[in-house]
Amino acid sequence: ARGDGAGAMASLLSVFGRGPATSHSAASGAAARTRSAAKSQGGHTNAEYMLTVDAIRRCTVSPCHVLVFGVSWDAGLYMEANWGGRTVFLEDNRKWQQMVRKRHPCMASYVVTYATRLSDWPLYTDPRYHHHLDMNLPLEVVQSPWDVIVVQGPAGEATRLGPWDNAGRMQSIYTAAQLAKEYFLFAPRARHVSVVVHDSDRMVEKKFADLFLGAANEKARVGAARLFALGEDFDLHSGAS
């Protein structure tokens, strides 16, 4: 059983570790004390994390397959939420991947490459250039159906000075949509794919989530995190103009 989420999953496992089980009241107090720690360690609020955790724990198939774009200290939280399932991470920064793996040696992760720059985002809103968003993915990723997909990488923020040199999340959001569409080519599993896009308060994340996942498919929003449910009739380009 995946548990009942008592105390906001024991205050997010005491900020991304596997702490001992605790009572609901004690965990609720711990959640209040660790809210800022969660934000600093993983970049999201407790409530935003719980949107993702709940999406994973509501997975109706077993073992649940979870794919996460972006490695952070929160890797242990996602693996714990999907205990007994299969959780795979995709990261473009090898050094960062290795640092996180020291804390979570059992983390299944791959290093991938993004070919975009955040400053070029307007180009990729044009359907003629969508093929430039295709990614080279590990075979394990391509050959597997993913029940829950989390987009929290690669780096998406623009630097305050100079050009926007980070990769941006145009490719990861597009690829999440592609994988959701291909999910229904596998043997039947769930009725829909859950996709969580973090940092959707930023312009590019919001625009490309609407473009490729479809604003009409949004089922929940908590802070800067948005949950989409994509069914078999999902149209990858439904939001394209």
Side-chain angles (χ1 to χ4, degrees):
R2 295 181 183 278
D4 61 1
M9 199 170 174
S11 194
L12 296 177
L13 301 177
S14 296
V15 190
F16 314 139
R18 286 186 183 174
T22 185
S23 67
H24 181 87
S25 58
S28 297
R33 292 192 299 273
T34 60
R35 187 173 293 110
S36 61
K39 183 74 174 175
S40 64
Q41 285 284 303
H44 314 307
T45 66
N46 284 27
E48 289 166 351
Y49 274 121
M50 285 309 299
L51 180 71
T52 303
V53 167
D54 287 343
I56 294 171
R57 297 198 301 185
R58 285 196 299 263
C59 186
T60 58
V61 294
S62 182
C64 184
H65 295 175
V66 177
L67 181 68
V68 183
F69 288 86
V71 166
S72 186
W73 299 121
D74 52 26
L77 175 69
Y78 296 146
M79 290 189 290
E80 183 78 9
N82 193 31
W83 186 254
R86 181 179 175 199
T87 307
V88 174
F89 298 82
L90 302 179
E91 173 59 42
D92 64 321
N93 187 320
R94 184 180 297 276
K95 183 177 180 180
W96 180 241
Q97 176 216 31
Q98 292 173 346
M99 286 176 60
V100 175
R101 183 174 279 168
K102 289 180 180 179
R103 179 182 291 187
H104 303 291
C106 296
M107 179 182 71
S109 61
Y110 295 95
V111 174
V112 295
T113 300
Y114 294 97
T116 56
R117 284 181 57 187
L118 185 58
S119 56
D120 295 329
W121 72 263
L123 181 70
Y124 302 114
T125 62
D126 188 332
R128 294 174 299 174
Y129 296 95
H130 288 175
H131 66 281
H132 290 294
L133 296 175
D134 290 332
M135 287 185 67
N136 291 320
L137 296 171
L139 279 178
E140 179 186 2
V141 174
V142 174
Q143 296 177 351
S144 301
W146 298 101
D147 305 295
V148 180
I149 303 173
V150 182
V151 178
Q152 59 176 31
E157 69 277 9
T159 55
R160 293 187 177 182
L161 300 176
W164 292 6
D165 287 329
N166 288 322
R169 296 182 185 167
M170 299 82 73
Q171 264 187 299
S172 53
I173 293 173
Y174 178 77
T175 303
Q178 279 188 317
L179 293 172
K181 187 66 178 175
E182 293 167 2
Y183 177 87
F184 298 99
L185 301 178
F186 293 89
R189 291 175 64 83
R191 295 178 59 183
H192 67 266
V193 179
S194 296
V195 180
V196 179
V197 179
H198 282 285
D199 304 306
S200 289
D201 54 337
R202 299 195 299 225
M203 177 187 63
V204 170
E205 279 81 353
K206 180 182 185 304
K207 189 171 190 67
F208 281 84
D210 287 346
L211 182 65
F212 294 131
L213 303 176
N217 296 315
E218 181 181 320
K219 299 304 178 185
R221 183 183 304 201
V222 176
R226 299 170 73 187
L227 170 65
F228 297 82
L230 308 180
E232 190 168 2
D233 59 350
F234 162 65
D235 182 0
L236 173 60
H237 302 290
S238 60
S241 58

